[in-house]
Amino acid sequence: MELNINSLRPLTGDGRRLFVETYGCQMNAGDTEIVVAIMQNEGFVYTDRIEEADVILINTCSIRDNAEQRIWGRLSEMRRYRRRKPSLLVGIIGCMAERLKERLVEGENGVDIVAGPDSYRDLPRLVREAGSGGKGVNVLLSSEETYAEIAPVRLDKNGVSAFIAIMRGCNNYCSYCVVPYTRGIERSRDPQTIVAEARSLFENGYREVTLLGQNVNSYSFGEVGFPDLIRMVAEISPLLRVRFATSHPKDISDRLLETMASMSNVCRAIHLPAQSGATSMLARMNRKYTREWYLGRVEAIRRYMPDCAITTDLIAGFSGETEEEHEQTLSLMREVGYEFAYMFKYSERPGTFAQRHLPDDVPDEVKTARLQQIIELQNELSEQSNRRDVGREFEILVEGVSKRRDDQLFGRTSQNKVVVFDRGTHRVGDYVRVRVTGCTSATLLGEEIFQ
Ligand code: 5AD
Ligand code: SF4
């Protein structure tokens, strides 16, 4: 009998327990699943109970200052766990690791391991180094790493919908944004590995995948562009829904809209971050489009898919924002009638173009007041959009049991709105046709249509 050399190799993990805490965006959630895959392969055992952990990794976000402040707070709490288990190793991974580097190992809350978004394959070695009394630090960014062949260990287990990272990094350099510095330059993942991952999810009962990247419209691998990739994934099965995020307005092409419109399992939902409604502000933000261009793209979306939901990101109080520019953001919101928006107060980030060259000169109380106006308007728009859906029919994909009542299920429409309805004989993962009978500001209520 042949010996399997691999099984004789001493594994770094040796049954030690790994806990990972994740902050920030969906990309980070996906990265955590890759990290767990890499560590399991080295003999670590994943636990979802922090008290049991021998190694704690914190996957961090740097997008706004308050995200980082939360993590500093969390680091000071780690002392408690260390006191209980002196052999415990604590690591910071992700964007904040990239931004602050060696500084994170210093001081009384200093950690043992620091790994940037492109050095996760090196984590077992970094843990080994930390375990033998040193500090494990690797924050090298790569122009090639996509973790293409690593099968993520799915941690958020609804078993129905999953995220697939199709690219990493960002080349857009919006003047306020730290992402190009923390996640490095843009690179696309081999489409064959993406399709294989989606197919394997489908075969394991998943019914929805969301293709993720900072700017999915600039996906490009050999001859394959984003519309081709969408088609390849959507052709796996008509029963597999396909979503994607995020689109940059400057790159969303008619070819993509045409492809979406031709395939009913590509969901009718586009996240199209506007950031601001004023052309002068968009120029300061280095967004590379005007208000008119943006509205032209919205019009194109509506032309190809009249029932497509459009959602957005907005920033209040960026450098030099005048009252008039703010008003233009509000008017853009009304003109588009967003279904949903993520809304933020501008937070200056070290190292960005804005921090180096543009003053953070909108007083905090003005930022707060403008953000409040944006939020109130969006609440109205979301409610109006929900009310328009009452009486309409939708096919929903069931994701789980309603939190309020266990004789009800919830699922999502193609437009990504949540609908709650009576369970009947249905199960998670089923497609059900419902008619919307009512709504709250956040949820649609529906009843099954029997035919
Ligand atoms: N301050 C506030 N919001 C920001 N975003 C990115 N950088 C900043 C910043 N410095 C927002 C943008 C982006 C979303 C992911 O976060 O709206 O689309
Ligand atoms: Fe940041 Fe702009 Fe890249 Fe989005 S597109 S990650 S906002 S630099």
Side-chain angles (χ1 to χ4, degrees), residues 63-64 176-177 273 275 313-315 344-347 349:
I63 197 113
R64 282 167 290 277
Y176 49 82
C177 185
Q275 313 297 359
D313 293 351
L314 296 164
I315 299 177
F344 311 103
K345 197 155 89 165
Y346 172 53
S347 161
R349 305 312 293 131

Side-chain angles (χ1 to χ4, degrees), residues 189-204:
R189 175 178 167 193
D190 184 333
Q192 299 307 332
T193 67
I194 297 168
V195 172
E197 188 175 329
R199 182 168 292 125
S200 143
L201 285 164
F202 182 71
E203 282 162 3
N204 284 293

Side-chain angles (χ1 to χ4, degrees), residues 170 172-174 176-177 179-180 214 248 275 287:
C170 181
N172 289 313
Y173 292 94
C174 299
Y176 49 82
C177 185
V179 168
Q214 305 295 342
H248 194 302
Q275 313 297 359
R287 290 290 286 176

Side-chain angles (χ1 to χ4, degrees), residues 133-364:
K135 298 282 183 188
V137 180
N138 183 348
V139 287
L140 282 179
L141 286 174
S142 152
S143 57
E144 279 145 32
E145 180 63 273
T146 58
Y147 303 107
E149 81 302 349
I150 295 178
V153 174
R154 300 285 164 193
L155 296 173
D156 79 353
K157 291 198 183 90
N158 71 4
V160 176
S161 61
F163 293 93
I164 301 182
I166 63 163
M167 55 206 295
R168 301 181 69 81
C170 181
N171 285 352
N172 289 313
Y173 292 94
C174 299
S175 60
Y176 49 82
C177 185
V178 78
V179 168
Y181 307 93
T182 59
R183 299 191 76 96
I185 65 167
E186 183 183 290
R187 64 223 100 122
S188 297
R189 175 178 167 193
D190 184 333
Q192 299 307 332
T193 67
I194 297 168
V195 172
E197 188 175 329
R199 182 168 292 125
S200 143
L201 285 164
F202 182 71
E203 282 162 3
N204 284 293
Y206 283 79
R207 290 294 172 263
E208 181 179 282
V209 294
T210 304
L211 307 179
L212 280 185
Q214 305 295 342
N215 178 12
V216 291
N217 302 102
S218 59
Y219 175 89
S220 162
F221 193 100
E223 301 282 283
V224 182
F226 189 57
D228 311 310
L229 180 70
I230 280 263
R231 183 175 294 282
M232 287 159 76
V233 176
E235 278 174 351
I236 290 174
S237 165
L239 288 178
L240 181 68
R241 278 185 172 181
V242 185
R243 299 185 185 278
F244 57 89
T246 296
S247 295
H248 194 302
K250 75 177 165 58
D251 294 320
I252 188 153
S253 65
D254 280 40
R255 195 158 93 78
L256 172 68
L257 302 177
E258 218 177 283
T259 306
M260 289 178 75
S262 72
M263 306 194 77
S264 62
N265 57 329
V266 179
C267 289
R268 298 320 190 217
I270 296 184
H271 188 61
L272 199 65
Q275 313 297 359
S276 164
T279 296
S280 49
M281 174 57 94
L282 291 168
R284 293 206 289 292
M285 289 176 159
N286 193 31
R287 290 290 286 176
K288 306 183 187 91
Y289 56 86
T290 60
R291 176 189 175 99
E292 290 67 37
W293 168 270
Y294 185 93
L295 285 170
R297 293 289 76 201
V298 169
E299 202 182 291
I301 295 170
R302 298 262 152 81
R303 200 164 355 104
Y304 284 100
M305 292 168 288
D307 60 343
C308 189
I310 302 179
T311 55
T312 201
D313 293 351
L314 296 164
I315 299 177
F318 182 60
S319 179
E321 189 181 62
T322 62
E323 195 54 41
E324 207 208 320
E325 285 172 330
H326 168 62
E327 286 296 331
Q328 289 196 45
T329 295
L330 298 173
S331 88
L332 181 83
M333 294 171 70
R334 283 190 209 97
E335 210 163 322
V336 180
Y338 293 112
E339 260 68 38
F340 179 84
Y342 295 102
M343 300 156 282
F344 311 103
K345 197 155 89 165
Y346 172 53
S347 161
E348 187 177 80
R349 305 312 293 131
T352 57
F353 181 90
Q355 183 262 326
R356 286 178 285 131
H357 302 290
L358 303 170
D360 182 10
D361 54 0
V362 177
D364 194 57

Side-chain angles (χ1 to χ4, degrees), residues 376-447:
E376 277 164 24
L377 175 55
Q378 186 53 49
N379 286 344
E380 276 173 42
L381 294 174
S382 299
E383 209 178 312
Q384 282 170 19
S385 157
N386 279 357
R387 276 204 300 268
R388 278 197 299 275
D389 285 341
V390 175
R392 291 188 183 156
E393 289 178 18
F394 295 93
E395 178 167 70
I396 63 173
L397 172 60
V398 180
E399 280 182 24
V401 178
S402 157
K403 281 184 205 90
R404 300 238 177 91
R405 288 176 46 181
D406 63 7
D407 58 345
Q408 291 196 317
L409 298 172
F410 76 93
R412 278 170 203 273
T413 65
S414 175
Q415 289 75 7
N416 214 13
K417 285 193 189 177
V418 173
V419 184
V420 176
F421 70 105
D422 286 345
R423 179 194 284 261
T425 56
H426 291 292
R427 279 191 286 179
V428 172
D430 285 357
Y431 284 102
V432 183
R433 276 207 81 78
V434 298
R435 178 175 295 107
V436 174
T437 53
C439 65
T440 69
S441 59
T443 317
L444 300 175
L445 312 170
E447 60 184 26

